[in-house]
Amino acid sequence: QVQLVESGGGLVQAGGSLRLSCVASGRTFRTYAMGWFRQAPGKEREFVAAINWSGSSTVYVDSVKGRFTISRDNAKNTMYLQMNSLKPEDTAVYYCTSGATVAGRQYEYDYWGQGTQVTVSS
């Protein structure tokens, strides 16, 4: 049974920072790509960032480039999303996901966490 558990969400003012974490269990973490998606109220879930198994390759949606950093610690089975210069439009539930390769489409990932709420006030 694969489990992905997110944490680190919360309420922050615009311009602030948060770091999300995703702890994985039940599969060989270090061999899989990992990603973050987000879903705002009334909107479809969208891709945010992804990282390959070794951490040597990362991909970001244009709206977060230069503000968000995805990383992973394979020794701790944990992935992170450092979010700086947060904007109200970053408000969403953020989901951790795992898959075979770095990708930007939901169907390319096979396991998902329950999500953590990020709220950015103006």
Side-chain angles (χ1 to χ4, degrees):
Q1 184 77 13
V2 176
Q3 278 196 317
L4 301 175
V5 180
E6 304 97 333
S7 62
L11 173 64
V12 64
Q13 288 188 332
S17 299
L18 284 174
R19 188 176 81 156
L20 305 183
S21 299
C22 172
V23 178
S25 62
R27 75 182 340 181
T28 308
F29 177 80
R30 65 182 180 273
T31 66
Y32 287 87
M34 300 289 293
W36 290 97
F37 283 71
R38 66 186 180 186
Q39 188 167 19
K43 295 188 177 181
E44 294 187 353
R45 192 173 297 189
E46 67 167 351
F47 171 77
V48 176
I51 188 168
N52 73 336
W53 67 273
S54 67
S56 63
S57 177
T58 58
V59 180
Y60 298 90
V61 67
D62 285 348
S63 60
V64 308
K65 284 181 181 177
R67 300 189 298 121
F68 290 11
T69 303
I70 189 171
S71 62
R72 65 191 295 163
D73 185 339
N74 288 343
K76 295 182 179 180
N77 284 4
T78 303
M79 174 182 63
Y80 304 98
L81 185 67
Q82 178 66 45
M83 305 186 294
N84 299 328
S85 302
L86 282 161
K87 304 175 180 180
E89 51 263 44
D90 295 318
T91 295
V93 176
Y94 284 70
Y95 297 91
C96 163
T97 187
S98 173
T101 186
V102 172
R105 297 177 179 83
Q106 293 186 58
Y107 67 80
E108 295 181 279
Y109 293 91
D110 48 9
Y111 292 101
W112 294 82
Q114 293 298 308
T116 185
Q117 176 71 48
V118 171
T119 303
V120 184
S121 62
S122 57

